[in-house]
Amino acid sequence: MKTYVLYNKLSNNGKGQTTAEQLKTHWANRELTFVNARELDDYAGFFAGLQPDDEVCVCGGDGTLNYLINHADCDSLTNKIFYFPAGSGNDFWTDLGKKPGDAPAQINRYIKNLPTVTVKGKTSKFINGVGYGIDGYCCEEGDRLREKSDKPINYTSIAIKGLLFRYKPTNAEVIVDGKTYTFQKAWLAPTMKGRFYGGGMMATPQQDRLAADRKVTCMVMNGAGKLRTLMDFPTIFKGEHVKKSSVHVMKGKEITVRFDRPVALQIDGETVLAVSEYTVKI
């Protein structure tokens, strides 16, 4: 049996390899083979070449997991797949109820039967959520700042400045399993497979990624002005925002969200610019 560590060197602001090395402490009795995911061109070939008893530990952030589920046939994998977080947000890890420093967790059941999102004609799987609105704006702004500096990105600061000065809400149309809802002044309209996104925001506290019906949850925050939204925004980190009259929660198997102007969107933390609508399907 071999244990491969598939790590993302660039995760967590370039600390991915250092974090991966921590596995030697957790798995002192295993002989580890480290593989740089950034240099692995053929994911399908890598997994096809494994022996039946080989194990793989994915070490990276939520973006690394997203890359895995879209470049390997995770529904048919029989080898044990583990995960050890090495990202800046680690929302998947948080959703599993894990904490920094915990031992690697086997994730085979979490990377199967995932929903897809279609944006600008491209369809891909996601593991945490699709953010649309000011959350997409935060990722867009974070990417811009990252190009200028290697300093850690403060997304909370970006969100506050966006709410107060730069981001303008949109009108939204949300179609859930054929039923249409309309919202004025929508600030957020994510659709979630898990509970967390954006580095710890509990957008959909009742969402269960292993639910038998496999439904996803769309949450819309709308209607309130800038100051009221700014006051309510911190409650999303504890999931208490769903108690607000400005928040609407809908579950379904096919969800389309349309805005009346194009804005940035994020899929498991990866930014897509100038998006007018997206569709999630199970």
Side-chain angles (χ1 to χ4, degrees):
M1 181 189 81
K2 292 185 178 180
T3 300
Y4 294 91
V5 179
L6 194 59
Y7 70 95
N8 182 355
K9 185 176 181 179
L10 299 182
S11 63
N12 195 16
N13 298 306
K15 300 177 182 177
Q17 184 172 354
T18 301
T19 304
E21 294 285 343
Q22 296 175 12
L23 283 168
K24 295 177 180 179
T25 300
H26 291 285
W27 282 350
N29 60 335
R30 285 174 165 90
E31 184 176 345
L32 306 180
T33 300
F34 289 83
V35 179
N36 186 350
R38 307 291 298 189
E39 298 176 353
L40 185 62
D41 296 326
D42 185 5
Y43 264 59
F46 170 78
F47 285 98
L50 297 177
Q51 296 301 310
D53 60 347
D54 287 344
E55 302 174 333
V56 176
C57 183
V58 179
C59 187
D62 296 306
T64 305
L65 285 172
N66 182 274
Y67 194 88
L68 169 72
I69 62 177
N70 282 291
H71 289 81
D73 184 7
C74 295
D75 289 315
S76 62
L77 285 178
T78 56
N79 297 84
K80 288 183 179 181
I81 309 298
F82 294 85
Y83 178 64
F84 188 65
S88 55
N90 300 321
D91 290 303
F92 175 76
W93 193 246
T94 302
D95 197 38
L96 298 190
K98 302 292 185 177
K99 298 178 181 179
D102 284 351
Q106 187 174 345
I107 61 170
N108 291 72
R109 59 177 178 164
Y110 298 110
I111 58 178
K112 298 178 183 291
N113 300 316
L114 292 171
T116 63
V117 57
T118 301
V119 180
K120 292 184 172 182
K122 180 182 178 180
T123 299
S124 59
K125 296 178 181 179
F126 64 95
I127 196 165
N128 289 329
V130 180
Y132 198 32
I134 196 167
D135 43 2
Y137 161 82
C138 289
C139 287
E140 178 184 13
E141 185 68 8
D143 291 345
R144 187 184 68 82
L145 293 174
R146 194 175 289 108
E147 290 178 355
K148 295 183 177 181
S149 172
D150 57 0
K151 294 181 180 180
I153 304 300
N154 188 329
Y155 286 101
T156 301
S157 175
I158 293 173
I160 292 173
K161 291 178 182 178
L163 282 167
L164 286 175
F165 307 113
R166 297 177 181 174
Y167 185 81
K168 295 181 180 180
T170 65
N171 296 324
E173 180 181 76
V174 181
I175 305 171
V176 182
D177 292 340
K179 186 174 181 179
T180 301
Y181 306 84
T182 57
F183 302 95
Q184 304 296 313
K185 294 178 64 177
W187 294 95
L188 291 170
T191 295
M192 304 292 295
K193 173 64 174 177
R195 294 175 296 163
F196 293 89
Y197 79 151
M201 293 191 293
M202 195 189 301
T204 50
Q206 298 303 314
Q207 174 65 18
D208 179 2
R209 64 171 63 245
L210 293 179
D213 61 13
R214 297 174 56 206
K215 289 183 178 181
V216 291
T217 301
C218 179
M219 181 274 290
V220 177
M221 178 182 287
N222 82 304
K226 290 185 176 183
L227 291 178
R228 175 62 184 274
T229 303
L230 182 62
M231 292 175 63
D232 290 345
F233 194 77
T235 64
I236 198 172
F237 287 92
K238 293 184 178 180
E240 296 176 352
H241 63 296
V242 296
K243 302 175 184 177
K244 308 290 184 180
S245 59
S246 59
V247 174
H248 312 270
V249 178
M250 299 149 284
K251 285 195 172 188
K253 292 189 174 183
E254 181 172 342
I255 297 175
T256 295
V257 180
R258 298 190 180 106
F259 280 2
D260 62 358
R261 67 176 174 85
V263 300
L265 169 149
Q266 62 88 12
I267 305 171
D268 290 338
E270 301 300 313
T271 311
V272 184
L273 301 178
V275 176
S276 295
E277 71 174 76
Y278 72 85
T279 296
V280 167
K281 291 184 180 181
I282 297 174

